[in-house]
């Protein structure tokens, strides 16, 4: 498993998670000592991080597990090729001193969701070179890895010892251009739904929500969905986001998404308050998907599924298989 921040990794450990756990996005002053005590594999992309982790190792009297990250072309986190020999050298010196053990060598792709993009082979070639240098110098990594979901699904030569699948674990395709989830044997696992809060009849020309950007074209019924941008519903999808109420046809958000709620024009249909409004789900019962919301909000499905805020209760299905049982709240909204 892997997380971006130490906070996430330590929360997983506190919830009973055991086993290898990589955590890669550290900033100065982060809780390296707690990471060492928790047995995390800690991503190191530069000298400052190696200095902080070795200081924490000396303070705790324990050996830190570190994974050196190479920037093979993404231009984000990771060590530049020019700085790699110095980082590898310093890490090996710290390993000789018993402060760290270099457990992994790794990198991340920029354009794996565009198969055939020239940066993919360029990054793979450079990764091989940076691995070869580190191994020649004496690093004996337990794991070498570079593949994200797109590479895991389309590029077998990038798999090395493990793949870091993110969006694929949600059952979502990394990009509609490379295929739908079903093309890869995936099925979206996350459903976002809410209990319809109110249904009412309104006259023609009635303004709806802040700014009155929508007016009812004729006498109609409006349904109120108790989810808004504070829950992670993109305000950018105002007037566009799809939703299915009470199993009926797709409707669109009418007017602006507000902080806690949005309104749907039901075209005169009556839906029982308390029935389900499904914003997105697997899509196999006719409901919209996260990809549909991504298109409505000019973004990617990654952003839709990861932005649902903490106040939306999580209801875990197949709880036996889940690491944490979570809640079983059937009311209000849920993901
Ligand atoms: C370092 C790293 N590895 C793996 C992933 C997973 O990528 P994907 O969700 O495309 O599989 C991410 C995503 O942000 C990442 O930053």
């Amino acid at each position: 498993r892997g997380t971006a921040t130490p906070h996430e990794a330590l929360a997983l450990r506190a919830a009973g998670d055991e086993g290898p756990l990589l955590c890669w996005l550290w900033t100065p002053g982060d809780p390296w000592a707690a990471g060492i005590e928790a047995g995390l594999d800690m991503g190191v992309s530069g000298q400052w991080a190696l200095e902080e982790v070795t200081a924490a190792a000396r303070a705790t009297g324990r050996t830190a597990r570190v994974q050196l990250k190479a920037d093979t072309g993404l231009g984000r986190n990771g060590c530049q090729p020019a700085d790699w020999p110095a980082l590898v050298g310093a890490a090996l010196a710290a390993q000789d001193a018993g402060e760290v053990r270099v457990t992994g060598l790794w990198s991340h792709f920029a354009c794996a969701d565009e198969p055939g993009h020239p940066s993919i082979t360029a990054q793979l070639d450079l990764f091989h070179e940076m691995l070869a240098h580190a191994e020649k110098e004496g690093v004996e990594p337990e794991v070498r890895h570079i593949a994200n979901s797109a590479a895991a699904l389309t590029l077998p030569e990038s798999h090395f010892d493990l793949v870091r699948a993110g969006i694929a674990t949600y059952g979502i395709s990394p990009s509609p251009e490379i295929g739908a989830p079903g093309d890869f044997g995936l099925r979206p696992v996350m459903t976002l739904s809410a209990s319809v809060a109110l249904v009412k009849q309104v006259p023609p020309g009635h303004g709806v929500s802040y700014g009155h950007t929508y007016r009812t074209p004729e006498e109609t019924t409006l349904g109120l969905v108790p989810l808004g941008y504070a829950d992670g519903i993109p305000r950018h999808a105002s007037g566009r986001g799809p939703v299915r109420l009470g199993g009926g046809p797709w409707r669109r958000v009418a007017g602006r998404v507000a902080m806690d709620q949005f309104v749907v024009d039901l075209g005169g249909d009556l839906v029982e308050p308390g029935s389900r409004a499904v914003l997105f789900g697997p899509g196999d019962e006719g409901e919209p998907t996260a990809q549909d919301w991504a298109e409505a909000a000019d973004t990617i499905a990654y952003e839709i599924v990861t932005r649902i805020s903490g106040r939306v209760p999580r209801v875990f299905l197949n709880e036996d298989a889940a690491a944490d049982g979570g809640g079983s709240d059937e009311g209000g909204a849920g993901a």
Side-chain angles (χ1 to χ4, degrees):
R1 277 189 280 279
T3 70
T5 68
H7 172 78
E8 293 171 304
L10 295 173
L12 272 178
R13 286 297 201 229
D17 176 81
E18 292 171 0
L21 179 56
L22 170 66
C23 171
W24 56 74
L25 193 53
W26 295 81
T27 52
D30 269 346
W32 297 96
I36 295 171
E37 304 283 0
L40 303 184
D41 280 70
M42 295 173 281
V44 164
S45 291
Q47 292 288 351
W48 76 261
L50 194 62
E51 282 159 22
E52 290 209 0
V53 77
T54 50
R58 286 190 295 275
T60 56
R62 293 184 56 175
T63 302
R65 296 173 60 83
V66 302
Q67 297 206 10
L68 302 182
K69 183 174 190 187
D71 182 357
T72 53
L74 174 60
R76 200 177 67 177
N77 210 352
C79 178
Q80 278 290 295
D83 302 325
W84 187 244
L87 184 64
V88 168
L92 283 170
Q95 182 162 287
D96 289 344
E99 294 164 351
V100 305
R101 162 148 178 69
V102 182
T103 57
L105 299 170
W106 65 294
S107 189
H108 193 47
F109 281 117
C111 307
D113 55 350
E114 296 176 51
H117 193 286
S119 69
I120 297 172
T121 43
Q123 283 197 255
L124 261 184
D125 290 347
L126 187 51
F127 189 48
H128 278 289
E129 280 175 36
M130 292 172 87
L131 286 179
H133 171 83
E135 291 173 3
K136 178 173 66 65
E137 292 300 306
V139 176
E140 292 177 357
E142 294 168 14
V143 288
R144 300 156 305 153
H145 47 103
I146 186 170
N148 57 2
S149 295
L153 295 169
T154 66
L155 198 66
E157 64 269 37
S158 71
H159 290 182
F160 292 90
D161 302 311
L162 60 83
V163 299
R164 300 187 312 275
I167 198 67
T169 64
Y170 287 77
I172 291 176
S173 166
S175 153
E177 277 78 44
I178 66 168
D183 297 334
F184 302 110
L186 299 172
R187 178 174 178 265
V189 291
M190 181 171 167
T191 294
L192 178 65
S193 72
S195 175
V196 175
L198 182 71
V199 177
K200 63 186 178 187
Q201 204 102 26
V202 295
H206 202 300
V208 174
S209 192
Y210 295 128
H212 280 180
T213 57
Y214 181 81
R215 275 188 193 278
T216 53
E218 55 201 358
E219 181 175 332
T220 189
T221 44
L222 298 178
L224 182 65
V225 178
L227 284 171
Y229 56 78
D231 301 294
I233 308 307
R235 186 171 179 274
H236 209 60
S238 293
R240 294 201 294 261
V243 56
R244 196 162 175 245
L245 280 75
W250 283 24
R251 309 284 184 182
R252 300 274 164 184
V253 174
R256 288 196 183 137
V257 173
M259 184 183 289
D260 312 305
Q261 48 198 302
F262 66 82
V263 176
V264 175
D265 187 337
L266 292 170
D269 287 355
L270 285 172
V271 170
E272 276 300 305
S275 56
R276 284 277 117 193
V278 179
L279 284 76
F280 60 81
D284 41 31
E285 286 180 14
E287 73 279 18
T289 63
Q291 181 58 35
D292 294 313
W293 271 85
E295 284 160 26
D298 292 328
T299 184
I300 55 175
Y302 287 71
E303 190 179 347
I304 299 299
V305 293
T306 57
R307 61 184 290 161
I308 304 306
S309 73
R311 78 172 180 181
V312 178
R314 269 60 172 171
V315 180
F316 293 91
L317 306 178
N318 307 320
E319 290 202 44
D320 288 347
D324 179 346
S328 57
D329 187 343
E330 290 295 326

